[in-house]
Amino acid sequence: MLGVQPLVAPVAPVEALRRIALLLERSRGGTYRIQAFRGAAETIASLTPGQLAERVERGTVQELPGVGEATAAVIEQAAAGELPAYLESLQEKHSAPLATGGEALYAALRGDLHSHSDWSDGGSPIQEMVLAAVELGQEWLALTDHSPRLKVARGLSAARLQEQLGVVESVNASLGDRFRLLKGIEVDILDDGSLDQSEEMLGRLDVVTASVHSKLAMDRAPMTRRMVAAVQNPRVNVLGHCTGRLVEGARGQRGQSAFDAEAVFRACLANNVAVEINSRPERCDPPDELVSIALELGCLFAIDSDAHAPGQLDMKAYGCERADRLGVPPERVVTTWPVQRVLGWALE
Ligand SMILES: [Zn+2]
Ligand SMILES: [Zn+2]
Protein backbone atom coordinates (compact mmCIF):
# COMPACT_ATOMS: atom_id res chain seq x y z
CA MET A 1 0.00 0.00 0.00
CA LEU A 2 1.75 3.13 -1.18
CA GLY A 3 1.21 6.75 -0.29
CA VAL A 4 1.99 9.42 2.25
CA GLN A 5 0.50 8.89 5.70
CA PRO A 6 0.32 12.30 7.45
CA LEU A 7 2.55 12.71 10.51
CA VAL A 8 1.02 13.69 13.85
CA ALA A 9 2.70 15.28 16.89
CA PRO A 10 5.03 14.54 18.49
CA VAL A 11 7.47 14.29 15.61
CA ALA A 12 11.27 14.49 15.89
CA PRO A 13 12.74 17.69 14.38
CA VAL A 14 14.76 15.75 11.79
CA GLU A 15 11.66 13.77 10.74
CA ALA A 16 9.66 16.98 10.36
CA LEU A 17 12.35 18.54 8.14
CA ARG A 18 12.68 15.42 6.02
CA ARG A 19 8.92 15.06 5.60
CA ILE A 20 8.62 18.70 4.50
CA ALA A 21 11.30 18.07 1.86
CA LEU A 22 9.51 14.92 0.71
CA LEU A 23 6.16 16.70 0.39
CA LEU A 24 7.79 19.54 -1.54
CA GLU A 25 9.56 17.09 -3.87
CA ARG A 26 6.46 15.10 -4.70
CA SER A 27 4.51 18.28 -5.47
CA ARG A 28 7.44 19.60 -7.55
CA GLY A 29 8.37 22.47 -5.22
CA GLY A 30 11.39 24.70 -5.82
CA THR A 31 14.81 23.05 -5.59
CA TYR A 32 16.26 25.81 -3.42
CA ARG A 33 13.56 25.44 -0.77
CA ILE A 34 13.82 21.64 -0.81
CA GLN A 35 17.59 21.79 -0.39
CA ALA A 36 17.17 24.14 2.59
CA PHE A 37 15.07 21.53 4.40
CA ARG A 38 17.26 18.59 3.37
CA GLY A 39 20.38 20.51 4.43
CA ALA A 40 18.91 21.45 7.81
CA ALA A 41 17.84 17.83 8.37
CA GLU A 42 21.40 16.70 7.70
CA THR A 43 22.79 19.25 10.17
CA ILE A 44 20.33 18.26 12.89
CA ALA A 45 20.93 14.56 12.34
CA SER A 46 24.59 15.08 13.23
CA LEU A 47 23.74 16.45 16.70
CA THR A 48 22.98 14.41 19.81
CA PRO A 49 19.48 14.98 21.27
CA GLY A 50 21.15 16.76 24.19
CA GLN A 51 23.05 19.15 21.93
CA LEU A 52 19.88 19.98 20.02
CA ALA A 53 17.84 20.50 23.20
CA GLU A 54 20.46 22.87 24.53
CA ARG A 55 20.40 24.95 21.35
CA VAL A 56 16.60 25.10 21.36
CA GLU A 57 16.68 26.24 24.98
CA ARG A 58 19.24 28.95 24.31
CA GLY A 59 17.61 30.04 21.06
CA THR A 60 20.77 29.34 19.04
CA VAL A 61 19.34 26.88 16.50
CA GLN A 62 19.75 29.43 13.71
CA GLU A 63 23.49 29.63 14.32
CA LEU A 64 23.86 26.10 12.99
CA PRO A 65 25.17 25.83 9.42
CA GLY A 66 22.34 25.50 6.89
CA VAL A 67 19.63 26.45 9.36
CA GLY A 68 17.62 29.59 8.55
CA GLU A 69 14.50 31.21 9.88
CA ALA A 70 11.97 28.82 8.32
CA THR A 71 13.88 25.66 9.18
CA ALA A 72 14.62 26.89 12.73
CA ALA A 73 10.89 27.47 13.32
CA VAL A 74 10.16 23.89 12.26
CA ILE A 75 12.89 22.54 14.54
CA GLU A 76 11.73 24.59 17.53
CA GLN A 77 8.06 23.69 17.13
CA ALA A 78 8.85 19.99 16.73
CA ALA A 79 11.17 20.09 19.74
CA ALA A 80 8.30 21.63 21.76
CA GLY A 81 6.16 18.60 20.90
CA GLU A 82 3.98 20.46 18.41
CA LEU A 83 3.29 19.59 14.80
CA PRO A 84 5.26 22.33 13.00
CA ALA A 85 2.87 24.82 11.37
CA TYR A 86 4.59 24.64 7.98
CA LEU A 87 4.43 20.84 7.97
CA GLU A 88 0.78 20.98 8.95
CA SER A 89 -0.08 23.34 6.09
CA LEU A 90 1.85 21.20 3.58
CA GLN A 91 0.13 18.07 4.80
CA GLU A 92 -3.26 19.73 4.33
CA LYS A 93 -2.37 20.79 0.80
CA HIS A 94 -0.29 17.88 -0.42
CA SER A 95 -1.22 14.60 1.24
CA ALA A 96 -3.86 13.56 -1.30
CA PRO A 97 -2.76 11.04 -3.96
CA LEU A 98 -0.96 12.80 -6.82
CA ALA A 99 -3.30 11.43 -9.48
CA THR A 100 -7.01 10.88 -9.73
CA GLY A 101 -7.57 7.43 -11.22
CA GLY A 102 -5.48 4.28 -10.96
CA GLU A 103 -5.67 4.30 -7.16
CA ALA A 104 -6.17 0.53 -6.89
CA LEU A 105 -3.16 -0.14 -9.11
CA TYR A 106 -1.13 2.35 -7.11
CA ALA A 107 -2.13 0.59 -3.91
CA ALA A 108 -1.01 -2.70 -5.47
CA LEU A 109 2.52 -1.47 -6.24
CA ARG A 110 5.30 -2.90 -4.11
CA GLY A 111 8.44 -1.57 -5.71
CA ASP A 112 10.20 0.48 -8.34
CA LEU A 113 12.80 -0.49 -10.96
CA HIS A 114 14.19 2.98 -11.75
CA SER A 115 15.67 5.48 -9.29
CA HIS A 116 18.75 7.69 -8.97
CA SER A 117 20.91 8.79 -6.04
CA ASP A 118 23.57 11.50 -5.71
CA TRP A 119 26.09 8.95 -6.99
CA SER A 120 24.92 10.04 -10.48
CA ASP A 121 22.46 12.88 -11.17
CA GLY A 122 20.05 12.37 -8.28
CA GLY A 123 19.93 14.92 -5.47
CA SER A 124 20.01 12.69 -2.39
CA PRO A 125 22.14 9.97 -0.80
CA ILE A 126 21.12 6.33 -1.26
CA GLN A 127 20.01 6.09 2.38
CA GLU A 128 17.58 9.01 1.94
CA MET A 129 16.02 7.35 -1.10
CA VAL A 130 15.54 4.16 0.89
CA LEU A 131 14.05 5.96 3.90
CA ALA A 132 11.52 7.69 1.65
CA ALA A 133 10.63 4.42 -0.10
CA VAL A 134 9.99 2.83 3.30
CA GLU A 135 7.92 5.83 4.41
CA LEU A 136 5.86 5.59 1.25
CA GLY A 137 5.10 1.95 1.96
CA GLN A 138 7.30 0.35 -0.70
CA GLU A 139 8.76 -3.11 -0.10
CA TRP A 140 11.65 -2.84 -2.51
CA LEU A 141 13.48 -0.39 -4.75
CA ALA A 142 16.07 -0.78 -7.49
CA LEU A 143 18.91 1.73 -7.39
CA THR A 144 19.64 2.44 -11.05
CA ASP A 145 22.25 5.16 -11.37
CA HIS A 146 23.59 6.07 -14.81
CA SER A 147 26.36 4.37 -16.79
CA PRO A 148 29.79 5.89 -17.65
CA ARG A 149 29.10 7.48 -21.07
CA LEU A 150 26.40 9.72 -19.64
CA LYS A 151 28.95 12.20 -18.35
CA VAL A 152 26.43 15.03 -17.83
CA ALA A 153 24.72 12.76 -15.31
CA ARG A 154 27.99 11.66 -13.65
CA GLY A 155 27.54 8.10 -14.88
CA LEU A 156 29.28 5.47 -12.74
CA SER A 157 32.49 3.79 -13.92
CA ALA A 158 32.77 0.05 -13.27
CA ALA A 159 34.89 0.85 -10.20
CA ARG A 160 32.35 3.30 -8.74
CA LEU A 161 29.53 0.89 -9.45
CA GLN A 162 31.45 -1.84 -7.65
CA GLU A 163 31.89 0.53 -4.71
CA GLN A 164 28.17 1.33 -4.77
CA LEU A 165 27.29 -2.37 -4.57
CA GLY A 166 29.06 -2.48 -1.21
CA VAL A 167 26.90 0.41 0.01
CA VAL A 168 23.76 -1.38 -1.18
CA GLU A 169 24.80 -4.47 0.75
CA SER A 170 25.35 -2.52 3.94
CA VAL A 171 21.99 -0.72 3.54
CA ASN A 172 20.29 -4.09 3.15
CA ALA A 173 22.12 -5.50 6.17
CA SER A 174 20.87 -2.60 8.29
CA LEU A 175 17.25 -3.02 7.15
CA GLY A 176 16.80 -6.75 7.68
CA ASP A 177 13.65 -8.21 6.12
CA ARG A 178 11.71 -4.95 6.17
CA PHE A 179 12.90 -3.70 2.82
CA ARG A 180 15.14 -4.74 -0.04
CA LEU A 181 17.31 -2.40 -2.07
CA LEU A 182 18.14 -4.03 -5.40
CA LYS A 183 21.48 -3.63 -7.15
CA GLY A 184 20.74 -2.03 -10.47
CA ILE A 185 21.74 0.33 -13.23
CA GLU A 186 20.17 2.50 -15.89
CA VAL A 187 22.55 1.51 -18.60
CA ASP A 188 22.87 3.54 -21.80
CA ILE A 189 21.96 1.81 -25.02
CA LEU A 190 24.86 2.75 -27.31
CA ASP A 191 24.43 3.54 -31.03
CA ASP A 192 24.87 -0.07 -32.11
CA GLY A 193 22.58 -1.47 -29.41
CA SER A 194 25.39 -2.61 -27.14
CA LEU A 195 25.32 -1.57 -23.49
CA ASP A 196 27.49 0.97 -21.70
CA GLN A 197 28.81 -1.33 -18.98
CA SER A 198 30.85 -4.52 -18.97
CA GLU A 199 29.08 -7.89 -19.07
CA GLU A 200 30.91 -8.76 -15.90
CA MET A 201 29.56 -5.80 -13.95
CA LEU A 202 26.04 -6.25 -15.34
CA GLY A 203 26.23 -9.85 -14.17
CA ARG A 204 26.71 -8.67 -10.58
CA LEU A 205 23.43 -6.73 -10.57
CA ASP A 206 19.93 -7.81 -9.62
CA VAL A 207 18.21 -5.79 -12.34
CA VAL A 208 19.17 -3.84 -15.45
CA THR A 209 17.09 -1.02 -16.92
CA ALA A 210 18.35 -0.02 -20.37
CA SER A 211 17.57 3.36 -21.94
CA VAL A 212 18.49 5.45 -24.98
CA HIS A 213 19.91 8.84 -23.97
CA SER A 214 21.95 9.80 -27.05
CA LYS A 215 21.28 10.16 -30.79
CA LEU A 216 17.55 10.19 -30.15
CA ALA A 217 16.94 11.55 -33.64
CA MET A 218 18.50 8.51 -35.34
CA ASP A 219 16.61 7.17 -38.40
CA ARG A 220 13.82 4.70 -37.78
CA ALA A 221 15.53 1.56 -39.14
CA PRO A 222 18.83 1.86 -37.24
CA MET A 223 16.97 3.00 -34.09
CA THR A 224 14.77 -0.11 -34.30
CA ARG A 225 17.84 -2.35 -34.74
CA ARG A 226 19.55 -0.56 -31.85
CA MET A 227 16.66 -1.03 -29.43
CA VAL A 228 15.96 -4.62 -30.49
CA ALA A 229 19.63 -5.51 -30.01
CA ALA A 230 19.56 -4.00 -26.51
CA VAL A 231 16.49 -5.88 -25.32
CA GLN A 232 17.92 -9.11 -26.78
CA ASN A 233 20.84 -8.79 -24.38
CA PRO A 234 20.09 -11.40 -21.72
CA ARG A 235 21.15 -8.97 -18.97
CA VAL A 236 18.41 -6.45 -19.76
CA ASN A 237 15.18 -6.59 -17.73
CA VAL A 238 13.48 -3.27 -18.44
CA LEU A 239 13.36 -0.97 -21.47
CA GLY A 240 13.38 2.55 -19.96
CA HIS A 241 11.42 5.58 -21.33
CA CYS A 242 11.47 4.13 -24.84
CA THR A 243 10.65 7.18 -26.98
CA GLY A 244 12.82 9.70 -25.10
CA ARG A 245 10.16 12.37 -25.49
CA LEU A 246 9.80 15.33 -23.12
CA VAL A 247 6.34 16.83 -22.87
CA GLU A 248 6.87 19.60 -20.31
CA GLY A 249 9.28 20.98 -17.74
CA ALA A 250 12.53 22.92 -17.41
CA ARG A 251 14.33 20.94 -20.13
CA GLY A 252 11.68 21.95 -22.66
CA GLN A 253 9.93 19.66 -25.09
CA ARG A 254 11.38 16.95 -27.31
CA GLY A 255 9.53 14.78 -29.80
CA GLN A 256 9.57 11.01 -29.62
CA SER A 257 12.28 9.10 -31.41
CA ALA A 258 11.24 7.04 -34.44
CA PHE A 259 11.30 3.25 -34.29
CA ASP A 260 9.12 0.28 -35.21
CA ALA A 261 7.30 -0.04 -31.89
CA GLU A 262 5.76 -3.39 -32.76
CA ALA A 263 9.17 -4.90 -33.58
CA VAL A 264 10.74 -3.48 -30.41
CA PHE A 265 7.89 -4.64 -28.15
CA ARG A 266 7.84 -8.07 -29.80
CA ALA A 267 11.53 -8.32 -28.89
CA CYS A 268 10.66 -7.28 -25.32
CA LEU A 269 8.03 -10.02 -25.15
CA ALA A 270 10.34 -12.66 -26.62
CA ASN A 271 13.14 -11.72 -24.22
CA ASN A 272 11.08 -11.32 -21.07
CA VAL A 273 11.84 -7.60 -20.87
CA ALA A 274 9.31 -5.28 -19.25
CA VAL A 275 8.31 -2.08 -21.04
CA GLU A 276 8.70 0.79 -18.62
CA ILE A 277 5.84 3.18 -18.01
CA ASN A 278 7.92 6.16 -16.90
CA SER A 279 5.88 8.18 -14.43
CA ARG A 280 7.78 11.46 -14.57
CA PRO A 281 5.31 14.14 -15.69
CA GLU A 282 7.85 15.64 -18.09
CA ARG A 283 8.41 12.26 -19.76
CA CYS A 284 5.04 10.52 -19.67
CA ASP A 285 6.69 7.82 -21.78
CA PRO A 286 5.67 5.69 -23.71
CA PRO A 287 2.78 7.66 -25.16
CA ASP A 288 -0.68 6.08 -24.81
CA GLU A 289 -0.75 4.58 -28.29
CA LEU A 290 2.54 2.76 -27.67
CA VAL A 291 1.39 1.43 -24.30
CA SER A 292 -1.63 0.04 -26.12
CA ILE A 293 0.56 -1.72 -28.71
CA ALA A 294 2.69 -3.32 -25.97
CA LEU A 295 -0.45 -4.31 -24.07
CA GLU A 296 -2.00 -5.92 -27.15
CA LEU A 297 1.19 -7.90 -27.81
CA GLY A 298 1.22 -9.27 -24.25
CA CYS A 299 4.25 -7.44 -22.83
CA LEU A 300 5.03 -7.00 -19.16
CA PHE A 301 5.26 -3.46 -17.79
CA ALA A 302 7.27 -1.75 -15.06
CA ILE A 303 5.57 1.32 -13.59
CA ASP A 304 8.61 3.30 -12.45
CA SER A 305 9.22 6.68 -10.87
CA ASP A 306 12.66 7.48 -12.38
CA ALA A 307 12.99 9.45 -9.12
CA HIS A 308 15.95 11.82 -8.80
CA ALA A 309 14.85 12.88 -5.30
CA PRO A 310 13.12 10.94 -2.50
CA GLY A 311 9.67 12.56 -2.81
CA GLN A 312 9.60 11.82 -6.53
CA LEU A 313 9.24 8.11 -5.74
CA ASP A 314 5.57 8.90 -5.18
CA MET A 315 5.19 10.02 -8.80
CA LYS A 316 4.39 6.41 -9.71
CA ALA A 317 0.79 7.52 -9.08
CA TYR A 318 0.89 9.27 -12.47
CA GLY A 319 2.05 6.10 -14.23
CA CYS A 320 -0.69 4.13 -12.48
CA GLU A 321 -3.35 6.56 -13.65
CA ARG A 322 -2.21 6.08 -17.27
CA ALA A 323 -1.77 2.32 -17.07
CA ASP A 324 -5.18 1.87 -15.47
CA ARG A 325 -6.90 4.14 -17.98
CA LEU A 326 -5.34 2.13 -20.82
CA GLY A 327 -6.45 -1.19 -19.32
CA VAL A 328 -3.10 -2.60 -18.14
CA PRO A 329 -3.92 -5.41 -15.68
CA PRO A 330 -2.00 -5.26 -12.34
CA GLU A 331 -0.61 -8.81 -12.76
CA ARG A 332 1.22 -7.69 -15.91
CA VAL A 333 3.00 -4.94 -13.91
CA VAL A 334 6.21 -6.35 -12.44
CA THR A 335 6.41 -3.53 -9.88
CA THR A 336 3.32 -5.02 -8.18
CA TRP A 337 5.21 -8.27 -7.59
CA PRO A 338 6.91 -9.34 -4.34
CA VAL A 339 10.66 -8.89 -4.46
CA GLN A 340 11.48 -12.60 -4.65
CA ARG A 341 9.33 -12.98 -7.74
CA VAL A 342 11.02 -9.96 -9.32
CA LEU A 343 14.47 -11.40 -8.59
CA GLY A 344 13.46 -14.74 -10.10
CA TRP A 345 12.00 -13.07 -13.20
CA ALA A 346 15.12 -10.93 -13.67
CA LEU A 347 17.31 -14.04 -13.69
CA GLU A 348 15.18 -15.95 -16.21
ZN1 LIG B 1 16.94 7.84 -18.43
ZN1 LIG C 1 16.62 7.57 -15.06
Side-chain angles (χ1 to χ4, degrees), residues 119 126 143 156-170 183 201 204-205:
W119 284 59
I126 296 168
L143 179 62
L156 273 60
S157 64
R160 284 184 73 223
L161 179 56
Q162 182 59 47
E163 192 190 335
Q164 184 181 69
L165 300 187
V167 175
V168 173
E169 279 168 16
S170 66
K183 296 171 181 172
M201 277 314 299
R204 291 183 198 164
L205 305 176

mmCIF file of all heavy atoms in Angstrom, residues 119 126 143 156-170 183 201 204-205:
data_model
loop_
_atom_site.group_PDB
_atom_site.id
_atom_site.type_symbol
_atom_site.label_atom_id
_atom_site.label_comp_id
_atom_site.label_asym_id
_atom_site.label_seq_id
_atom_site.Cartn_x
_atom_site.Cartn_y
_atom_site.Cartn_z
ATOM 1 N N TRP A 119 24.908 9.559 -6.353
ATOM 2 C CA TRP A 119 26.086 8.950 -6.990
ATOM 3 C C TRP A 119 26.114 9.300 -8.481
ATOM 4 O O TRP A 119 27.173 9.321 -9.080
ATOM 5 C CB TRP A 119 26.071 7.432 -6.821
ATOM 6 C CG TRP A 119 26.465 6.976 -5.460
ATOM 7 C CD1 TRP A 119 25.855 7.291 -4.276
ATOM 8 C CD2 TRP A 119 27.564 6.123 -5.124
ATOM 9 N NE1 TRP A 119 26.517 6.681 -3.241
ATOM 10 C CE2 TRP A 119 27.553 5.968 -3.736
ATOM 11 C CE3 TRP A 119 28.546 5.475 -5.875
ATOM 12 C CZ2 TRP A 119 28.501 5.184 -3.061
ATOM 13 C CZ3 TRP A 119 29.484 4.696 -5.213
ATOM 14 C CH2 TRP A 119 29.460 4.555 -3.821
ATOM 15 N N ILE A 126 21.840 7.603 -1.141
ATOM 16 C CA ILE A 126 21.116 6.328 -1.261
ATOM 17 C C ILE A 126 20.219 6.109 -0.048
ATOM 18 O O ILE A 126 19.049 5.740 -0.175
ATOM 19 C CB ILE A 126 22.123 5.163 -1.391
ATOM 20 C CG1 ILE A 126 22.921 5.310 -2.693
ATOM 21 C CG2 ILE A 126 21.414 3.819 -1.342
ATOM 22 C CD1 ILE A 126 24.139 4.393 -2.799
ATOM 23 N N LEU A 143 18.056 0.550 -7.222
ATOM 24 C CA LEU A 143 18.905 1.729 -7.385
ATOM 25 C C LEU A 143 19.542 1.626 -8.770
ATOM 26 O O LEU A 143 20.299 0.696 -9.038
ATOM 27 C CB LEU A 143 19.981 1.740 -6.294
ATOM 28 C CG LEU A 143 20.978 2.890 -6.337
ATOM 29 C CD1 LEU A 143 20.282 4.232 -6.157
ATOM 30 C CD2 LEU A 143 22.041 2.697 -5.265
ATOM 31 N N LEU A 156 28.333 6.224 -13.573
ATOM 32 C CA LEU A 156 29.281 5.471 -12.739
ATOM 33 C C LEU A 156 30.214 4.591 -13.577
ATOM 34 O O LEU A 156 29.744 3.791 -14.385
ATOM 35 C CB LEU A 156 28.516 4.572 -11.750
ATOM 36 C CG LEU A 156 28.100 5.184 -10.418
ATOM 37 C CD1 LEU A 156 27.178 6.373 -10.617
ATOM 38 C CD2 LEU A 156 27.403 4.130 -9.566
ATOM 39 N N SER A 157 31.517 4.715 -13.329
ATOM 40 C CA SER A 157 32.487 3.788 -13.917
ATOM 41 C C SER A 157 32.263 2.424 -13.264
ATOM 42 O O SER A 157 31.572 2.320 -12.237
ATOM 43 C CB SER A 157 33.905 4.272 -13.621
ATOM 44 O OG SER A 157 34.104 4.236 -12.207
ATOM 45 N N ALA A 158 32.881 1.398 -13.859
ATOM 46 C CA ALA A 158 32.766 0.053 -13.269
ATOM 47 C C ALA A 158 33.254 0.072 -11.818
ATOM 48 O O ALA A 158 32.654 -0.549 -10.935
ATOM 49 C CB ALA A 158 33.536 -0.954 -14.097
ATOM 50 N N ALA A 159 34.326 0.823 -11.568
ATOM 51 C CA ALA A 159 34.889 0.853 -10.204
ATOM 52 C C ALA A 159 33.924 1.518 -9.215
ATOM 53 O O ALA A 159 33.732 1.039 -8.094
ATOM 54 C CB ALA A 159 36.226 1.596 -10.213
ATOM 55 N N ARG A 160 33.306 2.637 -9.646
ATOM 56 C CA ARG A 160 32.349 3.298 -8.739
ATOM 57 C C ARG A 160 31.093 2.454 -8.540
ATOM 58 O O ARG A 160 30.521 2.419 -7.452
ATOM 59 C CB ARG A 160 31.973 4.689 -9.265
ATOM 60 C CG ARG A 160 33.072 5.717 -9.034
ATOM 61 C CD ARG A 160 32.629 7.099 -9.471
ATOM 62 N NE ARG A 160 31.652 7.693 -8.569
ATOM 63 C CZ ARG A 160 30.562 8.347 -8.962
ATOM 64 N NH1 ARG A 160 30.285 8.483 -10.243
ATOM 65 N NH2 ARG A 160 29.739 8.871 -8.084
ATOM 66 N N LEU A 161 30.688 1.772 -9.592
ATOM 67 C CA LEU A 161 29.525 0.895 -9.446
ATOM 68 C C LEU A 161 29.841 -0.228 -8.459
ATOM 69 O O LEU A 161 29.032 -0.560 -7.593
ATOM 70 C CB LEU A 161 29.113 0.329 -10.812
ATOM 71 C CG LEU A 161 27.917 -0.626 -10.817
ATOM 72 C CD1 LEU A 161 26.677 0.012 -10.187
ATOM 73 C CD2 LEU A 161 27.582 -1.070 -12.251
ATOM 74 N N GLN A 162 31.044 -0.774 -8.580
ATOM 75 C CA GLN A 162 31.450 -1.837 -7.651
ATOM 76 C C GLN A 162 31.414 -1.316 -6.211
ATOM 77 O O GLN A 162 30.938 -1.983 -5.300
ATOM 78 C CB GLN A 162 32.857 -2.330 -8.014
ATOM 79 C CG GLN A 162 33.376 -3.465 -7.147
ATOM 80 C CD GLN A 162 32.468 -4.697 -7.202
ATOM 81 O OE1 GLN A 162 32.057 -5.125 -8.275
ATOM 82 N NE2 GLN A 162 32.137 -5.255 -6.042
ATOM 83 N N GLU A 163 31.891 -0.091 -6.047
ATOM 84 C CA GLU A 163 31.885 0.531 -4.712
ATOM 85 C C GLU A 163 30.443 0.718 -4.224
ATOM 86 O O GLU A 163 30.123 0.463 -3.057
ATOM 87 C CB GLU A 163 32.587 1.891 -4.823
ATOM 88 C CG GLU A 163 32.927 2.548 -3.499
ATOM 89 C CD GLU A 163 33.395 3.997 -3.698
ATOM 90 O OE1 GLU A 163 33.898 4.316 -4.799
ATOM 91 O OE2 GLU A 163 33.226 4.790 -2.778
ATOM 92 N N GLN A 164 29.569 1.124 -5.142
ATOM 93 C CA GLN A 164 28.172 1.335 -4.769
ATOM 94 C C GLN A 164 27.511 0.023 -4.309
ATOM 95 O O GLN A 164 26.686 0.025 -3.393
ATOM 96 C CB GLN A 164 27.393 1.922 -5.949
ATOM 97 C CG GLN A 164 25.960 2.266 -5.597
ATOM 98 C CD GLN A 164 25.172 2.829 -6.775
ATOM 99 O OE1 GLN A 164 24.880 2.116 -7.728
ATOM 100 N NE2 GLN A 164 24.847 4.111 -6.720
ATOM 101 N N LEU A 165 27.893 -1.080 -4.940
ATOM 102 C CA LEU A 165 27.289 -2.367 -4.567
ATOM 103 C C LEU A 165 27.570 -2.693 -3.103
ATOM 104 O O LEU A 165 26.722 -3.264 -2.416
ATOM 105 C CB LEU A 165 27.806 -3.498 -5.470
ATOM 106 C CG LEU A 165 27.506 -3.323 -6.969
ATOM 107 C CD1 LEU A 165 27.913 -4.571 -7.751
ATOM 108 C CD2 LEU A 165 26.050 -2.993 -7.210
ATOM 109 N N GLY A 166 28.736 -2.282 -2.619
ATOM 110 C CA GLY A 166 29.061 -2.478 -1.207
ATOM 111 C C GLY A 166 28.137 -1.666 -0.315
ATOM 112 O O GLY A 166 27.695 -2.141 0.743
ATOM 113 N N VAL A 167 27.817 -0.442 -0.761
ATOM 114 C CA VAL A 167 26.905 0.409 0.014
ATOM 115 C C VAL A 167 25.512 -0.219 0.037
ATOM 116 O O VAL A 167 24.845 -0.264 1.078
ATOM 117 C CB VAL A 167 26.852 1.841 -0.575
ATOM 118 C CG1 VAL A 167 25.820 2.695 0.152
ATOM 119 C CG2 VAL A 167 28.225 2.489 -0.530
ATOM 120 N N VAL A 168 25.079 -0.736 -1.112
ATOM 121 C CA VAL A 168 23.755 -1.378 -1.183
ATOM 122 C C VAL A 168 23.702 -2.554 -0.208
ATOM 123 O O VAL A 168 22.722 -2.730 0.524
ATOM 124 C CB VAL A 168 23.437 -1.839 -2.623
ATOM 125 C CG1 VAL A 168 22.141 -2.656 -2.659
ATOM 126 C CG2 VAL A 168 23.325 -0.644 -3.563
ATOM 127 N N GLU A 169 24.770 -3.326 -0.171
ATOM 128 C CA GLU A 169 24.797 -4.475 0.746
ATOM 129 C C GLU A 169 24.699 -4.022 2.200
ATOM 130 O O GLU A 169 23.984 -4.625 3.002
ATOM 131 C CB GLU A 169 26.066 -5.303 0.523
ATOM 132 C CG GLU A 169 25.921 -6.238 -0.672
ATOM 133 C CD GLU A 169 27.236 -6.863 -1.107
ATOM 134 O OE1 GLU A 169 28.211 -6.828 -0.325
ATOM 135 O OE2 GLU A 169 27.269 -7.372 -2.235
ATOM 136 N N SER A 170 25.401 -2.944 2.540
ATOM 137 C CA SER A 170 25.353 -2.516 3.942
ATOM 138 C C SER A 170 23.981 -1.914 4.284
ATOM 139 O O SER A 170 23.482 -2.089 5.392
ATOM 140 C CB SER A 170 26.497 -1.561 4.284
ATOM 141 O OG SER A 170 26.347 -0.366 3.584
ATOM 142 N N LYS A 183 20.326 -4.144 -6.408
ATOM 143 C CA LYS A 183 21.483 -3.632 -7.150
ATOM 144 C C LYS A 183 21.065 -3.468 -8.601
ATOM 145 O O LYS A 183 20.637 -4.432 -9.226
ATOM 146 C CB LYS A 183 22.634 -4.626 -7.059
ATOM 147 C CG LYS A 183 23.150 -4.821 -5.655
ATOM 148 C CD LYS A 183 24.128 -5.983 -5.603
ATOM 149 C CE LYS A 183 24.635 -6.181 -4.173
ATOM 150 N NZ LYS A 183 25.429 -7.412 -4.051
ATOM 151 N N MET A 201 30.234 -6.630 -14.949
ATOM 152 C CA MET A 201 29.558 -5.795 -13.952
ATOM 153 C C MET A 201 28.042 -6.002 -14.011
ATOM 154 O O MET A 201 27.383 -6.097 -12.978
ATOM 155 C CB MET A 201 29.865 -4.307 -14.194
ATOM 156 C CG MET A 201 31.162 -3.796 -13.629
ATOM 157 S SD MET A 201 31.493 -4.291 -11.936
ATOM 158 C CE MET A 201 30.126 -3.580 -11.050
ATOM 159 N N ARG A 204 26.726 -8.771 -12.048
ATOM 160 C CA ARG A 204 26.706 -8.674 -10.577
ATOM 161 C C ARG A 204 25.449 -7.972 -10.057
ATOM 162 O O ARG A 204 25.276 -7.817 -8.854
ATOM 163 C CB ARG A 204 27.921 -7.882 -10.094
ATOM 164 C CG ARG A 204 29.202 -8.654 -10.311
ATOM 165 C CD ARG A 204 30.400 -7.903 -9.778
ATOM 166 N NE ARG A 204 31.595 -8.464 -10.384
ATOM 167 C CZ ARG A 204 32.778 -7.897 -10.402
ATOM 168 N NH1 ARG A 204 32.932 -6.722 -9.817
ATOM 169 N NH2 ARG A 204 33.801 -8.472 -10.973
ATOM 170 N N LEU A 205 24.596 -7.513 -10.974
ATOM 171 C CA LEU A 205 23.433 -6.729 -10.570
ATOM 172 C C LEU A 205 22.176 -7.590 -10.483
ATOM 173 O O LEU A 205 22.081 -8.634 -11.114
ATOM 174 C CB LEU A 205 23.200 -5.597 -11.581
ATOM 175 C CG LEU A 205 24.410 -4.684 -11.809
ATOM 176 C CD1 LEU A 205 24.101 -3.670 -12.900
ATOM 177 C CD2 LEU A 205 24.802 -3.971 -10.516
#
